[in-house]
Amino acid sequence: MSMTLAVPVTVSIARRVDPGRASEMVAWMRAGTALAEAFPGFLGAGWVQSGPGSPEWHMLYRFADAETLRRWEESPQRHWWLSSAQGIVEHTRVERRTGIEGWFDRPLEHSVDPVEPAPPASPPRWKQAVTIWLAFFPLSLTATLLTSRFLDAVPLAARVLLMTLCLTPLMTYLVLPRITRALHWWLHGQRAPWRDA
């Protein structure tokens, strides 16, 4: 009997909400996270607003594999939770990613027809690793300096927890998408853009 390797699945959802109802949005997302935490395979969730007063919110949740994700997505708890936001929240985009390679693909905003040509291969892993390091090093260094200066009395575990809670959405929605866009030519072995000018 062959065993298949379980691959964690990350779901990224863009949602729009009236900026005047931001506190309701946060409470709603906290309720959804609390419900998902009770499901086996739940690995974590987070959310970030695009900017102060922005109607655009991004939510990210991760499950251990496609089967545990399916159980959550088909559960009565999730259906109740989604219906509780009708008239408040508008869902604008859903993306599913597996593994770190997903960050290096172009976002898909439609379902893929099986007869369409396959998307281009992901960049080599060493290029992905270099790109992640270029994004993570300055962010991690800055956060370490700030927490050691202003939160020196806070226990180490609490400082690391605070750093990861802040850095994860920053890396997810701000730094990594920008650096992968800027280095797209290098990641995919294309000619540098300034050589065409």
Side-chain angles (χ1 to χ4, degrees), residues 143 147 151 154-169:
T147 55
L151 302 173
V154 176
L156 178 63
R159 273 189 285 165
V160 172
L161 175 65
L162 181 64
M163 279 177 48
T164 55
L165 283 173
C166 294
L167 295 184
T168 299

Side-chain angles (χ1 to χ4, degrees), residues 18-112:
D18 180 347
R21 305 184 81 167
S23 58
E24 291 174 70
M25 179 69 168
V26 171
W28 179 74
M29 287 189 288
R30 283 183 178 151
T33 301
L35 287 171
E37 283 173 352
F39 279 73
F42 177 75
L43 298 177
W47 61 84
V48 66
Q49 191 175 12
S50 292
S54 170
E56 187 88 9
W57 291 73
H58 300 275
M59 186 174 187
L60 194 75
Y61 58 89
R62 189 167 173 86
F63 276 80
D65 53 41
E67 179 59 24
T68 55
L69 172 63
R70 183 190 64 76
R71 288 186 196 137
W72 159 246
E73 290 187 330
E74 294 178 0
S75 69
Q77 294 93 321
R78 182 172 179 269
H79 288 294
W80 169 84
W81 174 67
L82 289 174
S83 67
S84 70
Q86 287 183 358
I88 300 172
V89 178
E90 175 191 348
H91 306 276
T92 58
R93 189 178 71 227
V94 178
E95 297 175 11
R96 295 172 194 274
R97 305 291 178 108
T98 55
I100 196 67
E101 291 87 350
W103 294 117
F104 298 91
D105 301 331
R106 289 186 179 156
L108 295 175
E109 298 188 21
H110 61 283
S111 55
V112 179

